[in-house]
Amino acid sequence: MVDPRGAETELQPAVDDEYSPSSGDAFTRHFLVRHGISSEFPAYLKEFCIRPGDSLYVLGTLRENPGLASAADCLARGVEQPQQGFLSAAAADLQRRRAIESMLLPGSPAPRIPLARRVATEAFDLNPPVVLMRGASGSPFFISWRSQQDIVTELAWRSALYIWGGPVLAVAGLWLLVNQLLVH
């Protein structure tokens, strides 16, 4: 299980669109106004999400599940266990439907919202003993749509550029400075 809070993300956008008041549709205009953004000016919209079945590369720190400690504390004190932040499949589907319906224009017909695809949760432990999450300060934590090999290749090129580019820029700057001093 991954706790994505605080992760640096590199995902492909699900929506990548430019809105203009003259050609924008009513749904997008309503969405902008609902979120306090003026629909009178052009806007660039990007939405990122992780969908079921997406292949991801996650780099983080494997730590003890902090939710288990709070549950154990509650049991020791005889208090009801707090909500762990997970919804049942039915509650998540209801929440999704309400969110979609809240974005509709007043008086517009209700869309046919398909039921969410059912996932077998019996074999999935919602409270595992360890969770992949943000580690101590400075440790890397990111979620990417690219493979580990693609990321390492890019980091190798970037490292080489930074290592060799710095001295080259320093020498070029020094040459320009000396050249300016000798000319004047």
Side-chain angles (χ1 to χ4, degrees):
M1 182 174 295
V2 177
D3 180 357
R5 290 177 291 191
E8 179 182 333
T9 58
E10 182 183 56
L11 302 171
Q12 291 180 317
V15 173
D16 190 358
D17 198 13
E18 191 168 338
Y19 166 81
S20 67
S22 61
S23 64
D25 62 22
F27 177 79
T28 306
R29 188 175 304 114
H30 178 72
F31 175 82
L32 291 172
V33 171
R34 180 173 173 79
H35 289 86
I37 302 168
S38 174
S39 63
E40 297 176 13
F41 302 104
Y44 189 68
L45 306 171
K46 271 191 176 185
E47 178 185 41
F48 299 90
C49 66
I50 298 172
R51 297 183 186 118
D54 282 354
S55 294
L56 297 173
Y57 172 68
V58 181
L59 177 66
T61 303
L62 197 58
R63 298 176 59 184
E64 287 185 35
N65 187 347
L68 292 180
S70 63
D73 292 342
C74 289
L75 287 174
R77 291 182 300 188
V79 181
E80 188 177 322
Q81 185 172 342
Q83 178 87 12
Q84 293 295 323
F86 302 109
L87 299 174
S88 68
D93 191 50
L94 180 63
Q95 187 179 53
R96 179 179 67 91
R97 288 171 175 277
R98 289 229 172 118
I100 291 171
E101 289 168 357
S102 72
M103 289 188 255
L104 296 174
L105 293 171
S108 62
R112 292 183 44 92
I113 302 170
L115 289 173
R117 183 172 53 109
R118 299 288 178 210
V119 178
T121 57
E122 297 81 30
F124 187 74
D125 183 10
L126 291 176
N127 294 303
V130 291
V131 177
L132 194 60
M133 59 190 309
R134 181 177 200 88
S137 64
S139 61
F141 182 40
F142 65 91
I143 302 172
S144 176
W145 65 274
R146 297 186 302 154
S147 70
Q148 178 182 3
Q149 186 174 0
D150 291 344
I151 292 170
V152 169
T153 301
E154 181 188 333
L155 289 175
W157 279 104
R158 199 182 291 179
S159 296
L161 177 67
Y162 293 164
I163 288 170
W164 295 107
V168 168
L169 285 175
V171 168
L174 185 60
W175 179 79
L176 287 172
L177 181 65
V178 169
N179 193 23
Q180 285 292 328
L181 290 174
L182 293 177
V183 170
H184 294 295

